[in-house]
Amino acid sequence: MQAKVCPGLAPRIAAAAVLSDVIARRLPLDECLAAGAGGARIGALSQRDAALTRSIATAALRRLGTIQTVLAELLEREPPRQASQLEWILIAGAAQILFLDVPDYAAVDLAVHASRLEPKTAPYAPLVNGVLRNLIRARERILAESDPLDHDTPKWLAARWRQNYGEAEARAIASAHRDEPVLDITPLSGASIWAERLGATLLPIGSLRLRSHAKVTELPGFAEGQWLVQDAAAALPARLLRATPGMRVADFCAAPGGKTAQLAAAGATVMAIDRSAERLKKLAANLSRLNLRADIVVGDAVDLKAQLFDGILVDAPCLGTGTMRRHPDIAWTKKPNDLVALTALQARLLDKAAELVKPGGTIVYCTCSLEPEENELQISALLRRSPGLVRVPVTLPEVGGLPELLNCNGELRTLPVHLPAPEPRLAGLDGFFAARLLRAC
Ligand SMILES: C[S@@+](CC[C@H](N)C(=O)[O-])C[C@H]1O[C@@H](n2cnc3c(N)ncnc32)[C@H](O)[C@@H]1O
């Protein structure tokens, strides 16, 4: 039966193709969902089917370790290499059976259909049927035994977090990755008015937390450019620059522009630099919706020519391990070796910021990574290289009076376990680090 005439088949095929692109080719999930993957064009799906594709893919990526462990148990031997698509069909099927509110018969039948469509996987349709039915029978045990840190976190990340945060915190971070959080919003002004209009919670750190996964573009204030979508922790670093009207600020890694918008809204004259022309188009569109402006520069911030700024924000490219609640693909697309090139680039960006900040001027460095090499260790190394820079500790009022968001050097260190709430999707923060430095001389 063809995907076109079998309801529900197209999103299952698309989800398997997306999983193959994310896990085997290490492509970012958002890119795969936007562009379509493996010939199964997401754009050609109805809105409902595209949403189901996304749900299957994200559930599978959040719990990939659990799924792979149990499939290895149930399959007597590895699927043959020429039928590699079988693996993704099975993972997509298992994600539905274990983690989504989908009838078991639909998950199994459609996985069997999907495997019959390709000559290479068709001979294994009975195997797909058998494995997924056995999985249904073992469901209670699998869910009881599944461990967020030992199964659903890659071993190298689990080892790092245990070492850097201790067993209990590492475990809590991994548990927080099980749930997709609701949206946070940064109002450009009038936070309590927008909290009321949107039925949102006003968090102690100034952002609004919506209570549901709403369609952003349809919410009041979106079209009028009154607020931007931004995790509550991501809204903190730009504020630490204490931008004021007339201040000349460089935003070194600016796109897609959340922090540029905050700086421009504070009245600063902002130069927004990014080496991705494509991502800068999004920045331009975001600023235009928010009725804000900045000088947009496509290029490598490390190559900026001599000029001085009152403030510089370096929102450096990083592993992104602080954002795994919203981007579960990061667990499987990033590898330990990626740290080598990233930390080298971060150090170059910091050196350039140290060169271009005026005496008396401020640098804020931030990442959305949980890894000390990209954060605390970058700053201590910079302070050794640049004796004219000193740390200006972040103050308690700047983090809503929450001491757990600061480390002992007065740097911002938010974690997915912060801001607990009874409902997991209403809890947590992205894992952001930020340090504030002053050029004393
Ligand atoms: C973490 S994102 C920035 C997010 C952005 N600040 C925001 O708030 O929306 C990192 C950005 O750094 C850019 N980038 C990476 N290396 C760069 C470089 N050497 N110079 C300028 N931009 C760079 C990437 O293209 C990416 O857009």
Side-chain angles (χ1 to χ4, degrees):
M1 197 183 297
Q2 293 306 305
K4 273 190 288 216
V5 293
C6 180
L9 185 54
R12 269 76 180 187
I13 294 172
V18 165
L19 287 169
S20 146
D21 272 1
V22 172
I23 301 163
R25 297 176 59 206
R26 294 176 60 188
L27 295 177
L29 176 65
D30 284 347
E31 216 172 89
C32 298
L33 289 175
R41 294 251 140 219
I42 306 292
L45 297 177
S46 67
Q47 230 179 36
R48 198 160 153 244
D49 281 354
L52 179 57
T53 302
R54 183 181 182 282
S55 296
I56 297 172
T58 51
L61 292 167
R62 268 181 217 291
R63 308 299 294 271
L64 187 62
T66 297
I67 293 174
Q68 284 179 325
T69 308
V70 70
L71 287 178
E73 246 173 66
L74 294 173
L75 284 162
E76 272 148 28
R77 55 185 118 82
E78 275 195 27
R81 291 188 73 153
Q82 76 274 13
S84 61
Q85 202 53 23
L86 206 60
E87 183 179 356
W88 316 118
I89 292 172
L90 282 169
I91 292 176
Q96 294 164 64
I97 291 166
L98 294 174
F99 306 116
L100 294 185
D101 193 13
V102 165
D104 288 342
Y105 68 84
V108 178
D109 289 357
L110 291 166
V112 171
H113 273 311
S115 58
R116 281 200 193 121
L117 287 179
E118 291 290 328
K120 285 181 183 158
T121 50
Y124 301 97
L127 177 85
V128 171
N129 187 43
V131 166
L132 292 182
R133 285 185 191 284
N134 284 339
L135 188 105
I136 293 169
R137 282 190 278 275
R139 177 164 41 209
E140 299 302 311
R141 173 186 64 81
I142 297 164
L143 293 179
E145 288 176 1
S146 165
D147 182 278
L149 190 60
D150 292 334
H151 297 138
D152 292 327
T153 306
K155 286 200 178 357
W156 67 280
L157 276 178
R160 292 185 135 266
W161 297 348
R162 280 191 161 106
Q163 187 183 347
N164 296 323
Y165 294 95
E167 180 69 24
E169 194 107 282
R171 207 152 264 293
I173 291 170
S175 299
H177 293 154
R178 285 197 161 171
D179 296 285
E180 179 164 1
V182 291
L183 283 183
D184 290 343
I185 276 174
T186 305
L188 294 181
S189 62
S192 36
I193 296 168
W194 283 108
E196 205 177 309
R197 283 199 66 188
L198 294 165
T201 306
L202 177 54
L203 300 176
I205 53 177
S207 293
L208 307 184
R209 183 153 288 180
L210 295 178
R211 296 210 178 91
S212 62
H213 293 279
K215 186 144 194 233
V216 177
T217 50
E218 287 168 9
L219 291 173
F222 176 84
E224 300 86 344
Q226 294 295 317
W227 45 259
L228 54 136
V229 174
Q230 191 179 43
D231 186 87
L236 293 170
R239 291 192 201 126
L240 301 182
L241 209 52
R242 295 178 176 159
T244 47
M247 190 167 156
R248 185 159 188 257
V249 170
D251 186 354
F252 267 16
C253 299
K259 298 178 191 69
T260 305
Q262 290 179 280
L263 296 168
T269 303
V270 188
M271 181 194 272
I273 309 139
D274 201 284
R275 71 177 176 195
S276 162
E278 210 43 48
R279 285 168 66 89
L280 279 173
K281 281 187 200 156
K282 286 192 191 141
L283 177 143
N286 283 333
L287 290 186
S288 148
R289 177 181 67 82
L290 297 163
N291 301 311
L292 295 168
R293 68 167 313 280
D295 297 331
I296 299 174
V297 177
V298 188
D300 190 327
V302 175
D303 297 334
L304 274 178
K305 62 177 176 23
Q307 57 193 307
L308 288 178
F309 296 96
D310 302 307
I312 301 180
L313 177 67
V314 184
D315 184 11
C318 65
L319 274 187
T321 47
T323 64
M324 282 167 51
R325 297 175 316 146
R326 297 186 199 277
H327 301 288
D329 50 320
I330 283 177
W332 314 107
T333 54
K334 299 291 167 72
K335 300 289 170 210
N337 271 352
D338 296 338
L339 264 181
V340 178
L342 283 167
T343 51
L345 174 57
Q346 290 154 2
R348 288 202 301 278
L349 288 163
L350 276 169
D351 284 338
K352 182 51 85 169
E355 179 193 325
L356 299 189
V357 72
K358 270 185 191 165
T362 303
I363 299 172
V364 169
Y365 171 80
C366 66
T367 77
C368 55
S369 159
L370 300 178
E371 316 314 315
E373 294 89 331
E374 304 194 87
N375 299 313
E376 294 85 348
L377 299 181
Q378 280 291 3
I379 296 304
S380 48
L382 174 70
L383 291 177
R384 283 195 297 274
R385 293 197 298 276
S386 307
L389 293 176
V390 290
R391 260 194 211 95
V392 180
V394 179
T395 64
L396 260 184
E398 287 176 305
V399 293
L402 302 171
E404 64 272 29
L405 307 195
L406 299 178
N407 69 16
C408 57
N409 285 323
E411 294 160 337
L412 179 77
R413 173 67 282 170
T414 63
L415 294 173
V417 299
H418 289 149
L419 287 193
E423 254 191 274
R425 67 198 185 96
L426 296 179
L429 287 175
D430 277 357
F432 258 83
F433 170 87
R436 178 167 52 200
L437 309 168
L438 174 83
R439 168 149 305 287
C441 55

